[in-house]
Amino acid sequence: MRNFVLVPEALVVAGALLLLVMARARRRPRRWLPPSAAALALVALLVELWVGGTLATLFGGALVQDRFALFAKAAILLAAGLAIAVTDWSDEDAPSIGMAMVLLAAFGVMVIASAGDFVGLWAGLELAAMAAVVLVSTRRTDLGLRLLVVGGVASGLVLVGLAFVYATAGSADLQMVRKGLASESATLPLAIPVLLLMGGLAVRAGLPPFQFARLPVGLGASPLGAGMVIGLVGAAALVVAAKLSASLVPVPAVYSPYLLVVAAAAMVGGGAAALATRSPRARLAYLAAGQVGWIAAGLATHYRTGLGASLFLIGAFAVAATTGPAVMAGADVGEFALAGLSMLRPARAAGIALVFLSLAGAPPLAGFFGEFAVGAALAQSGNLWVLALGLLGGLMSVAAALGTVRAIYLQSPPDESRRAAGARLPVLTRLSTIGAVALCIVIAGYGLFGNPILGLADQGAEALGLR
Amino acid sequence: MILPEIVLASPSPAAVPGAGIFTSPLILSLTIWLPVAVAIFMSVIPNPRNRYDTVMKQIAFFTNVGILFILFVAYNQFQTFLPTVQYEEKLPWLASIGATYHLGVDGPGMTMMMLSGLIGLTSVLASWGVRERVRSYFCLLLLTQAAVNGAIAAHDMFVLVLFWGAAMIPIALLILGWGGPRREAATWRLVGYWGLGTAALLVAIMTAYAANGGGSFDMDVLLKATLSPRVQLAVGAALVIAAATRLPLFPFHGWARDVYSEAPLGVSVVVAGSASRLGAYLLLRALVAANPAAARLLAPFVAILAALTIVYVALVVIRSVDLRWAAAYLSMVPGAITVLGLAALTPLSIAGSVLSTFTGGLAAALIVAAAWTLTDRAQSRSLQVLSGLAPRMPILTWILVIAALGLLGVPLLASFPAEAMVLFGSFKTQPVGAFAVVAGLVLTAVALAALVHRVLFGQPNPDAPAVSDASLGETWYLGLLAGALLWVGLFPGGPKLPGTDQTVFDPGLLNVMAAGITDIASPYVASTTAP
């Protein structure tokens, strides 16, 4: 079974390369391509669930297959598959490249999930981010360039931080770093690089107040491109943060207070901004930013329950934030464009509604279960003030999400002349309908059948050495 | 006839013949998940050009009839001599944080479930006139009912907060989609206040969870843990805020006027009848039953809240110019009485509070529904226009009078034993609060008498729009609420065979309710008998 551990990665990379070759060979993609790409992600997910339970160390410890890797890979493959399925491919500028980039970004996260050292973490993060740059550039090169620059700054911060931590701990191996730091005390020279490192990851994850650099990109890109930036790249950064925080656990004082403050600001700021904006995609981006705050708060608890809860929430976040813009497709130019969508595209409308409510943390959807688990960890660690602020942000987020749900379900569709002015109705295909239904089932079922999922996330946190 | 029943209501549960023959481990889950499943089914079946709107209504109606039937079987088979939780279901849910899918009801819980079943059916009947987006409306109504049932049946704080919070979303959407002209303000006020309450509840739960070592959210563990008085006080204060936003109590009542006057009738009935009663149920379950030290410490403040609420309502109703607003404020009266009983912390007052939760739900729903229907039929809400309607609205006159009497707790109606038990049980331990509540009730009676006299028996207004009496459908749902108030008022211990003590058909709400109160009231027995 050990030999099959890398089969999911191989499938994803092979699929991405094949799609790139096909994009080079012909401009118009065939109709069977999106279902095939979604099926490939699904097959990779099934293989991962089948063989991923095998514990293995590969390439001399560079890649580690443990429960953490299994959880993160499964979540990201699910998000990628659903995103490909629900995307309105007629609204994407380069469908083959788009599918390839989604798969490559998913591969980047898979590398991070299995990474045993700093190199793997950095390489996976860069791969996911570069895939997003390419996809964004297919529609708006200026935004692609902007994302590249912002990503470069983030990458620089991460690299500097990693280099200093390496210098302090004497190793780039995550387990060795953990052991090395056990004998270190929390000093300012260690805190500063960790601060830079976390800052770089915060830029990548879109954690407020660092999301301002990335937000225009998320708003101007194609729907799938926005999903990549907000969801997949954010999830990649969060998985890196989870692995790093587990390694830094011996010296929590160097990152925990800082992360708690940023998390609290993100939870409240995300909710308030989501309430203030009327644009559906901007609202989704802010709701996602608020949920990133919850994930960061869980990581800051530096306990197994907190990290397990954060990992559980990363799964819910990855699915909702990646598929959210894609499932809205062209109907995201304004709230009026979503009006009455439940009558015209019922499955897609349900998917959008559940994505918004889940990102807002409304019960009984995936986001609520994750945020509740994080809340429990915060209470256990004595950070009730962060929990209280998070609940305030959550309240504003739910109110904001209700505004979008109202437009979808309770308003009449706009007339065709207004729709022609920019609010294009997503094309109805069998794949998009199946994808939207599957998305609804995943978001509703993630929490309702949360025992094995949270159990696996908890084992993932344990695999990182937390108790 | 009534007073012996009141005495029986003190914690001395007795066996009722025929109970416990039928039991099922899925009864409570059915009442939660059946409406959810039906709502999903309704949302996916084709409805071209709204052709099957009537079918949608019928599906919702028969679902509620089914739920009420299931609940009646559970009520009928409830073992009144057992103080423990019955119809228990327990499955692991989020095991790593100690959350379980744990359902179960004791006497007070069963009473609340019956209230929810009755209110659910009434709300569907009251919504029969909905014409727009019928499918969405009834789906959301069913989801609301599922959430309320879930919050009542929850025996794990995680499950409780899940359904407690979930109830807000369909209700908010129902008001936004089908409410009156000021629906936006009503919705955001509801979301704000209920959201604040949910946040307070979560903080309370998490504080108790952390103080208890973080092992479990199960009520059997979390609510029975020995917490320090300081933690108990913090938890108790947060619980009082959560309950006060939901019931509502002054000064957390900001949503009530707009919601009850702007929400569609069926939604107002659900909110006034069952969803808001969850506040009192939470206080009973999580504060009175679990944190005796905090309950004792907070009791004077809670009693003051109750007194302030009732006096405030009376004063506002006296000056009110809108019948629906007046009804909205009046619907806060039963909640205040319930809370006074919980603040008094005597076995009799606690039992009275449980009964008052049931009767108060019915009375509040009835006054809101009666006012809504009357203003609809009279084509005006203004008290300057509505006058002398009794000759032209005989049915609505009867209903409004019964609703007013139900609020005040006159004999023969179910609210009489409830209020009597609360007040008899409260004068000893909370004399100031009880006196203030009685004074407020007198003021409310004056306000109600003036209101009823003006609207129904005053000089007819020749300039008023044409009016008509309640239709047969409206009579049904109003009659159902009034009938339930009368039934429990006439037979609080259940109807008995002549010459025997054996109940027939209905084991008696007081008997069912009393199961479990012994346990809840046991910490307070000593304090009431001490010199």
Side-chain angles (χ1 to χ4, degrees), chain A residues 429-448:
Chain A
T429 64
R430 195 174 293 166
L431 176 66
S432 68
T433 305
I434 293 170
V437 170
L439 176 63
C440 294
I441 292 170
V442 168
I443 289 180
Y446 192 82
L448 293 178

mmCIF file of all heavy atoms in Angstrom, chain A residues 429-448:
data_model
loop_
_atom_site.group_PDB
_atom_site.id
_atom_site.type_symbol
_atom_site.label_atom_id
_atom_site.label_comp_id
_atom_site.label_asym_id
_atom_site.label_seq_id
_atom_site.Cartn_x
_atom_site.Cartn_y
_atom_site.Cartn_z
ATOM 1 N N THR A 429 -25.887 23.414 -17.084
ATOM 2 C CA THR A 429 -25.408 22.142 -17.620
ATOM 3 C C THR A 429 -25.673 21.044 -16.593
ATOM 4 O O THR A 429 -25.898 21.337 -15.415
ATOM 5 C CB THR A 429 -23.897 22.168 -17.909
ATOM 6 O OG1 THR A 429 -23.222 22.350 -16.650
ATOM 7 C CG2 THR A 429 -23.510 23.280 -18.865
ATOM 8 N N ARG A 430 -25.616 19.822 -17.081
ATOM 9 C CA ARG A 430 -25.857 18.706 -16.159
ATOM 10 C C ARG A 430 -24.760 18.655 -15.092
ATOM 11 O O ARG A 430 -25.030 18.432 -13.923
ATOM 12 C CB ARG A 430 -25.887 17.396 -16.958
ATOM 13 C CG ARG A 430 -26.470 16.243 -16.179
ATOM 14 C CD ARG A 430 -26.614 15.017 -17.036
ATOM 15 N NE ARG A 430 -27.601 15.197 -18.081
ATOM 16 C CZ ARG A 430 -27.741 14.398 -19.125
ATOM 17 N NH1 ARG A 430 -26.940 13.388 -19.285
ATOM 18 N NH2 ARG A 430 -28.672 14.611 -20.027
ATOM 19 N N LEU A 431 -23.521 18.920 -15.532
ATOM 20 C CA LEU A 431 -22.401 18.870 -14.583
ATOM 21 C C LEU A 431 -22.554 19.938 -13.502
ATOM 22 O O LEU A 431 -22.341 19.671 -12.310
ATOM 23 C CB LEU A 431 -21.081 19.058 -15.320
ATOM 24 C CG LEU A 431 -19.839 19.111 -14.420
ATOM 25 C CD1 LEU A 431 -19.604 17.765 -13.743
ATOM 26 C CD2 LEU A 431 -18.601 19.536 -15.204
ATOM 27 N N SER A 432 -22.933 21.159 -13.926
ATOM 28 C CA SER A 432 -23.036 22.236 -12.931
ATOM 29 C C SER A 432 -24.154 21.943 -11.935
ATOM 30 O O SER A 432 -24.039 22.243 -10.744
ATOM 31 C CB SER A 432 -23.263 23.575 -13.617
ATOM 32 O OG SER A 432 -24.533 23.616 -14.208
ATOM 33 N N THR A 433 -25.246 21.334 -12.422
ATOM 34 C CA THR A 433 -26.342 20.993 -11.516
ATOM 35 C C THR A 433 -25.906 19.919 -10.528
ATOM 36 O O THR A 433 -26.133 20.040 -9.313
ATOM 37 C CB THR A 433 -27.564 20.505 -12.322
ATOM 38 O OG1 THR A 433 -27.893 21.514 -13.271
ATOM 39 C CG2 THR A 433 -28.749 20.248 -11.419
ATOM 40 N N ILE A 434 -25.250 18.886 -11.068
ATOM 41 C CA ILE A 434 -24.769 17.817 -10.174
ATOM 42 C C ILE A 434 -23.761 18.386 -9.178
ATOM 43 O O ILE A 434 -23.793 18.087 -7.981
ATOM 44 C CB ILE A 434 -24.134 16.663 -11.003
ATOM 45 C CG1 ILE A 434 -25.215 15.975 -11.832
ATOM 46 C CG2 ILE A 434 -23.428 15.658 -10.096
ATOM 47 C CD1 ILE A 434 -24.675 14.989 -12.847
ATOM 48 N N GLY A 435 -22.878 19.243 -9.701
ATOM 49 C CA GLY A 435 -21.870 19.850 -8.829
ATOM 50 C C GLY A 435 -22.495 20.684 -7.729
ATOM 51 O O GLY A 435 -22.082 20.614 -6.564
ATOM 52 N N ALA A 436 -23.515 21.471 -8.098
ATOM 53 C CA ALA A 436 -24.163 22.320 -7.091
ATOM 54 C C ALA A 436 -24.881 21.474 -6.037
ATOM 55 O O ALA A 436 -24.828 21.788 -4.843
ATOM 56 C CB ALA A 436 -25.143 23.266 -7.772
ATOM 57 N N VAL A 437 -25.525 20.408 -6.492
ATOM 58 C CA VAL A 437 -26.212 19.526 -5.533
ATOM 59 C C VAL A 437 -25.179 18.875 -4.606
ATOM 60 O O VAL A 437 -25.367 18.809 -3.376
ATOM 61 C CB VAL A 437 -27.045 18.455 -6.278
ATOM 62 C CG1 VAL A 437 -27.562 17.401 -5.313
ATOM 63 C CG2 VAL A 437 -28.214 19.112 -7.006
ATOM 64 N N ALA A 438 -24.071 18.419 -5.211
ATOM 65 C CA ALA A 438 -23.013 17.801 -4.393
ATOM 66 C C ALA A 438 -22.447 18.806 -3.393
ATOM 67 O O ALA A 438 -22.178 18.471 -2.230
ATOM 68 C CB ALA A 438 -21.903 17.272 -5.305
ATOM 69 N N LEU A 439 -22.298 20.056 -3.843
ATOM 70 C CA LEU A 439 -21.795 21.105 -2.948
ATOM 71 C C LEU A 439 -22.737 21.287 -1.750
ATOM 72 O O LEU A 439 -22.298 21.393 -0.596
ATOM 73 C CB LEU A 439 -21.655 22.417 -3.734
ATOM 74 C CG LEU A 439 -21.244 23.658 -2.956
ATOM 75 C CD1 LEU A 439 -19.852 23.490 -2.369
ATOM 76 C CD2 LEU A 439 -21.285 24.895 -3.851
ATOM 77 N N CYS A 440 -24.028 21.316 -2.036
ATOM 78 C CA CYS A 440 -25.019 21.457 -0.954
ATOM 79 C C CYS A 440 -24.905 20.296 0.030
ATOM 80 O O CYS A 440 -24.934 20.487 1.257
ATOM 81 C CB CYS A 440 -26.438 21.508 -1.517
ATOM 82 S SG CYS A 440 -26.757 22.960 -2.494
ATOM 83 N N ILE A 441 -24.785 19.094 -0.533
ATOM 84 C CA ILE A 441 -24.712 17.903 0.337
ATOM 85 C C ILE A 441 -23.454 17.968 1.207
ATOM 86 O O ILE A 441 -23.495 17.680 2.406
ATOM 87 C CB ILE A 441 -24.737 16.612 -0.517
ATOM 88 C CG1 ILE A 441 -26.120 16.469 -1.178
ATOM 89 C CG2 ILE A 441 -24.413 15.381 0.324
ATOM 90 C CD1 ILE A 441 -26.196 15.376 -2.217
ATOM 91 N N VAL A 442 -22.347 18.378 0.586
ATOM 92 C CA VAL A 442 -21.086 18.443 1.346
ATOM 93 C C VAL A 442 -21.188 19.473 2.472
ATOM 94 O O VAL A 442 -20.834 19.205 3.628
ATOM 95 C CB VAL A 442 -19.903 18.784 0.402
ATOM 96 C CG1 VAL A 442 -18.667 19.147 1.196
ATOM 97 C CG2 VAL A 442 -19.605 17.600 -0.503
ATOM 98 N N ILE A 443 -21.711 20.661 2.146
ATOM 99 C CA ILE A 443 -21.755 21.726 3.163
ATOM 100 C C ILE A 443 -22.728 21.365 4.281
ATOM 101 O O ILE A 443 -22.471 21.635 5.455
ATOM 102 C CB ILE A 443 -22.113 23.077 2.502
ATOM 103 C CG1 ILE A 443 -20.925 23.552 1.667
ATOM 104 C CG2 ILE A 443 -22.456 24.125 3.550
ATOM 105 C CD1 ILE A 443 -21.140 24.852 0.959
ATOM 106 N N ALA A 444 -23.843 20.753 3.923
ATOM 107 C CA ALA A 444 -24.806 20.376 4.970
ATOM 108 C C ALA A 444 -24.341 19.139 5.731
ATOM 109 O O ALA A 444 -24.540 19.035 6.946
ATOM 110 C CB ALA A 444 -26.169 20.133 4.350
ATOM 111 N N GLY A 445 -23.723 18.205 5.008
ATOM 112 C CA GLY A 445 -23.349 16.945 5.640
ATOM 113 C C GLY A 445 -22.046 16.999 6.415
ATOM 114 O O GLY A 445 -21.798 16.161 7.286
ATOM 115 N N TYR A 446 -21.204 17.988 6.106
ATOM 116 C CA TYR A 446 -19.880 18.092 6.731
ATOM 117 C C TYR A 446 -19.986 18.150 8.253
ATOM 118 O O TYR A 446 -19.215 17.513 8.973
ATOM 119 C CB TYR A 446 -19.184 19.345 6.210
ATOM 120 C CG TYR A 446 -17.718 19.458 6.528
ATOM 121 C CD1 TYR A 446 -16.778 18.806 5.750
ATOM 122 C CD2 TYR A 446 -17.267 20.231 7.586
ATOM 123 C CE1 TYR A 446 -15.423 18.926 6.027
ATOM 124 C CE2 TYR A 446 -15.922 20.362 7.869
ATOM 125 C CZ TYR A 446 -15.001 19.708 7.083
ATOM 126 O OH TYR A 446 -13.666 19.826 7.361
ATOM 127 N N GLY A 447 -20.953 18.925 8.722
ATOM 128 C CA GLY A 447 -21.127 19.036 10.165
ATOM 129 C C GLY A 447 -22.054 17.973 10.721
ATOM 130 O O GLY A 447 -21.809 17.409 11.778
ATOM 131 N N LEU A 448 -23.130 17.709 9.980
ATOM 132 C CA LEU A 448 -24.112 16.754 10.497
ATOM 133 C C LEU A 448 -23.482 15.367 10.676
ATOM 134 O O LEU A 448 -23.861 14.618 11.562
ATOM 135 C CB LEU A 448 -25.320 16.679 9.562
ATOM 136 C CG LEU A 448 -26.166 17.962 9.511
ATOM 137 C CD1 LEU A 448 -27.309 17.827 8.519
ATOM 138 C CD2 LEU A 448 -26.724 18.313 10.884
#
